[in-house]
Amino acid sequence: QKEVEQNSGPLSVPEGAIASLNCTYSDRGSQSFFWYRQYSGKSPELIMSIYSNGDKEDGRFTAQLNKASQYVSLLIRDSQPSDSATYLCAVKGGSYIPTFGRGTSLIVHP
Amino acid sequence: DAGVIQSPRHEVTEMGQEVTLRCKPISGHNSLFWYRQTMMRGLELLIYFNNNVPIDDSGMPEDRFSAKMPNASFSTLKIQPSEPRDSAVYFCASSLGENQPQHFGDGTRLSIL
């Protein structure tokens, strides 16, 4: 059974700090990796996709993928209170159906 | 560009009633997914359609749940009869291809009294 693991948190960081969110997965054949942000009472919103080993940067967000170690992470630089949300990691292994983690709750306090 | 459109946004009904949730995927997307989200169980995949054909319905809880996709721009999820334990947020999502991300609708918040 394919598994995606995330620490449920909450992860609490001060405003302006770097928030680091981690995700591990069990399927070595996984090919596509996604990070979603979900505000309370809202739907998941795609913020990053990554397909190759290494780093991918988009504004204040950096996704990091290490297939050998089977982990993917999301760094949020200069964290803002508006970044407070649950972050979901999703992994696809060469099929149309992703496996989602349970999410990590992030709290950015002023 | 229009995203995934779901209706209704909220539904409150009594136990035993039929509930129908609707979804319009993003135009051109060939895959459609129905999810249920609760605090206890997180995000659960109920059913997945590819090119309007149901491919994986192993997540459908029981025979009370059914889903259809009569064409590329419309899908329904029906619960009959509804029970209080069906109360949850139901999301529809669509994607363009095998390794492409899913895009979610705003969800339907369902409460069964």
Side-chain angles (χ1 to χ4, degrees), chain A residues 31-32 34 36 38 40-46 49 51 88 90 92-98 100-102, chain B residues 31 33 35 37 39-43 45 48 50 56 91 95 97-106 109:
Chain A
Q31 300 176 7
S32 311
F34 310 101
Y36 290 83
Q38 186 173 24
S40 180
K42 301 294 186 182
S43 62
E45 173 193 9
L46 178 71
S49 304
Y51 302 93
L88 300 169
K92 277 191 179 184
S95 75
Y96 285 84
I97 302 176
F100 279 83
R102 292 295 300 270
Chain B
S31 297
F33 307 78
Y35 288 91
Q37 188 175 44
M39 290 293 293
M40 290 294 295
R41 301 173 69 91
L43 198 61
L45 177 66
Y48 151 59
N50 189 41
D56 186 344
F91 290 109
S95 71
E98 185 171 334
N99 288 315
Q100 298 301 307
Q102 296 174 316
H103 298 270
F104 286 78
D106 288 338
R109 187 171 297 274

Side-chain angles (χ1 to χ4, degrees), chain A residues 1-4 25-34 50-51 65 67 70 89-100, chain B residues 33 35 48 97-102:
Chain A
Q1 184 173 348
K2 300 175 183 178
E3 294 183 345
V4 175
Y25 58 93
S26 62
D27 182 7
R28 284 195 169 274
S30 299
Q31 300 176 7
S32 311
F33 307 85
F34 310 101
I50 187 166
Y51 302 93
L65 174 61
K67 290 185 178 181
Q70 294 176 244
C89 172
V91 176
K92 277 191 179 184
S95 75
Y96 285 84
I97 302 176
T99 302
F100 279 83
Chain B
F33 307 78
Y35 288 91
Y48 151 59
E98 185 171 334
N99 288 315
Q100 298 301 307
Q102 296 174 316

Side-chain angles (χ1 to χ4, degrees), chain B:
Chain B
D1 291 343
V4 176
I5 300 172
Q6 291 186 246
S7 64
R9 291 294 307 277
H10 304 273
E11 176 85 14
V12 181
T13 191
E14 293 186 346
M15 181 175 65
Q17 297 298 306
E18 178 179 290
V19 173
T20 300
L21 310 181
R22 298 173 176 79
C23 175
K24 176 180 171 56
I26 293 172
S27 178
H29 283 196
N30 62 353
S31 297
L32 183 140
F33 307 78
W34 282 101
Y35 288 91
R36 177 172 67 179
Q37 188 175 44
T38 61
M39 290 293 293
M40 290 294 295
R41 301 173 69 91
L43 198 61
E44 300 175 276
L45 177 66
L46 300 177
I47 188 167
Y48 151 59
F49 291 87
N50 189 41
N51 292 323
N52 313 339
V53 177
I55 303 299
D56 186 344
D57 65 354
S58 59
M60 296 287 263
E62 48 199 275
D63 292 346
R64 297 185 297 108
F65 285 68
S66 63
K68 294 182 179 180
M69 191 166 186
N71 57 62
S73 59
F74 185 66
S75 177
T76 59
L77 177 68
K78 187 172 294 186
I79 309 173
Q80 167 64 22
S82 57
E83 297 183 3
R85 60 191 168 122
D86 301 330
S87 298
V89 181
Y90 290 79
F91 290 109
C92 176
S94 69
S95 71
L96 185 57
E98 185 171 334
N99 288 315
Q100 298 301 307
Q102 296 174 316
H103 298 270
F104 286 78
D106 288 338
T108 295
R109 187 171 297 274
L110 178 63
S111 296
I112 309 297
L113 306 178

Side-chain angles (χ1 to χ4, degrees), chain A residues 23-25 28 30 33 50-55 63-73:
Chain A
C23 170
T24 60
Y25 58 93
R28 284 195 169 274
S30 299
F33 307 85
I50 187 166
Y51 302 93
S52 305
N53 278 329
D55 295 0
Q64 300 176 318
L65 174 61
N66 184 323
K67 290 185 178 181
S69 300
Q70 294 176 244
Y71 83 78
V72 56
S73 61

